[in-house]
Amino acid sequence: MENSTNQYLLLTPGPLTTTKTVREAMLKDWCTWDDDYNKEIVEVIRTKLVALATHHQGYTSVLMQGSGSASVEATIGTVMPENGKLLVINNGAYGKRIGQIAQYLKIDHHIIELSEVEQPDLEHIAALLDSDSAITHVAMVHCETTTGMLNPIEAVCKLVKSRNKIMILDAMSSFGGIPMDLGELGVDFMISSANKCIQGVPGFGFVIAKTDELLKCQGQARSLSLDLYDQWDCMEKNHGKWRFTSPTHTVRAFYQAMLELEQEGGVAARYQRYVTNQRILVEGMETLGFRCLLSQSLHSPIITSFYSPSDTDYDFKHFYSLLKAQGFVIYPGKVSNADCFRIGNIGDVHNDDIYRLIDAIRRTMFWHKAAS
């Protein structure tokens, strides 16, 4: 296995297990003034991202230092005009975070509060858009890794665009791993991160935007370092130059990861690997007696939530530690009203790895042994 140099597989929604070649790409230093970095790496990444995102013309991309949430904040803080109002669809921790960003930045907003296992109601969204003419923008998370739920972006985007509103899509954990065309959907701003389905390492996020809409954002940003428009303008005018210090090693690793995505067969092929991983995972876990939090129709191929065993001897931290010792790192639960844990299958994780995981879990079910 290529990842034999890793002490364990990260079965999380990111950061995630990367290939040896992606990690090796970080072993060289780069000067941020040189064309072989800006033109031959940064600009190539920007072009490739747009090509991955849509076949439509009129889109551009911009890279932003920091976590994925920093890019979400940069987008919300730059795109929202002073007299704008944001409608936030919240059915998980990351939808909630968008609402928190709007609150911190003192942006007028309304939050549709849903449970973590509830999908948005299109009629309710339509009624809000029709009754509140102040709403100018709508934001939603595509794959809510709180549970692993996929939100219905096609239907929501169609509704939003039918009301001539600006659509902001947090596709943090889905872009590059689930086929989508932003132009077909009508998405105006999409946010994702280097350390998700494209399988790079943490250090920057990126935004793919309709160029005409981004041009309207000049001078609107509520932060200097998170000014999405100025970052884009600098990259456009200076052939990939970042305004402030570029995370060079992370960027170079991401370039390598993009090449490896192409070598795998693109997003469609990666999606099939993730889907198969998730199917093997769910079938194996159910055979062992675990139950999924969500119905299969709501699952994403990114991460899956499982109810914790009801046995009194079960303890997640002990379960986690025993699996980690066998080379697998899983994720604690994040659902308010359910005791659960999560297992992701994105990154450099393959079908054989999931089969090995199921075997490791079978050996690790200490609560069964305690009861016998």
Side-chain angles (χ1 to χ4, degrees), residues 176-195:
I178 298 176
M180 67 182 81
D181 187 309
L182 301 187
E184 293 293 322
L185 291 167
V187 172
D188 297 284
F189 296 89
M190 189 233 49
I191 310 127
S192 192
S193 180
N195 60 294

Side-chain angles (χ1 to χ4, degrees), residues 139-201:
M140 185 177 74
V141 175
H142 183 201
C143 177
E144 188 44 270
T145 52
T146 305
T147 58
M149 180 189 291
L150 269 186
N151 277 320
I153 56 172
E154 293 87 356
V156 172
C157 288
K158 182 178 180 180
L159 173 59
V160 169
K161 299 317 293 181
S162 74
R163 269 51 173 192
N164 296 314
K165 310 300 182 183
I166 299 299
M167 183 69 203
I168 301 169
L169 182 67
D170 177 340
M172 200 66 60
S173 59
S174 60
F175 181 74
I178 298 176
M180 67 182 81
D181 187 309
L182 301 187
E184 293 293 322
L185 291 167
V187 172
D188 297 284
F189 296 89
M190 189 233 49
I191 310 127
S192 192
S193 180
N195 60 294
K196 301 294 185 177
C197 291
I198 296 178
Q199 299 182 183
V201 300

Side-chain angles (χ1 to χ4, degrees), residues 177 270-280 301 345 351:
R270 184 155 292 177
Y271 172 70
Q272 287 303 317
R273 172 162 62 87
Y274 290 169
V275 165
T276 307
N277 282 348
Q278 202 262 351
R279 177 182 57 77
I280 295 168
N345 41 244
N351 298 171

Side-chain angles (χ1 to χ4, degrees), residues 82-212:
E82 189 173 336
N83 61 347
K85 183 173 183 178
L86 179 66
L87 178 64
V88 181
I89 300 169
N90 169 26
N91 59 353
Y94 300 97
K96 180 180 179 181
R97 190 169 298 173
I98 294 173
Q100 290 175 315
I101 288 169
Q103 183 177 3
Y104 266 75
L105 298 181
K106 297 180 171 57
I107 291 169
D108 189 15
H109 64 284
H110 176 83
I111 303 175
I112 298 176
E113 300 280 7
L114 304 167
S115 79
E116 292 122 326
V117 296
E118 183 181 3
Q119 290 213 311
D121 182 285
L122 294 174
E123 291 184 3
H124 181 50
I125 297 170
L128 282 170
L129 294 176
D130 292 339
S131 64
D132 189 349
S133 60
I135 295 172
T136 54
H137 296 64
V138 178
M140 185 177 74
V141 175
H142 183 201
C143 177
E144 188 44 270
T145 52
T146 305
T147 58
M149 180 189 291
L150 269 186
N151 277 320
I153 56 172
E154 293 87 356
V156 172
C157 288
K158 182 178 180 180
L159 173 59
V160 169
K161 299 317 293 181
S162 74
R163 269 51 173 192
N164 296 314
K165 310 300 182 183
I166 299 299
M167 183 69 203
I168 301 169
L169 182 67
D170 177 340
M172 200 66 60
S173 59
S174 60
F175 181 74
I178 298 176
M180 67 182 81
D181 187 309
L182 301 187
E184 293 293 322
L185 291 167
V187 172
D188 297 284
F189 296 89
M190 189 233 49
I191 310 127
S192 192
S193 180
N195 60 294
K196 301 294 185 177
C197 291
I198 296 178
Q199 299 182 183
V201 300
F204 72 94
F206 53 88
V207 179
I208 299 170
K210 284 184 180 175
T211 308
D212 289 347

Side-chain angles (χ1 to χ4, degrees), residues 148-150 275 278-283 286 292-301 304 306:
M149 180 189 291
L150 269 186
V275 165
Q278 202 262 351
R279 177 182 57 77
I280 295 168
L281 173 68
V282 170
E283 289 176 356
E286 288 180 341
C292 296
L293 175 70
L294 301 176
S295 65
Q296 185 64 42
S297 64
L298 299 179
H299 279 172
S300 72
T304 307
F306 296 94

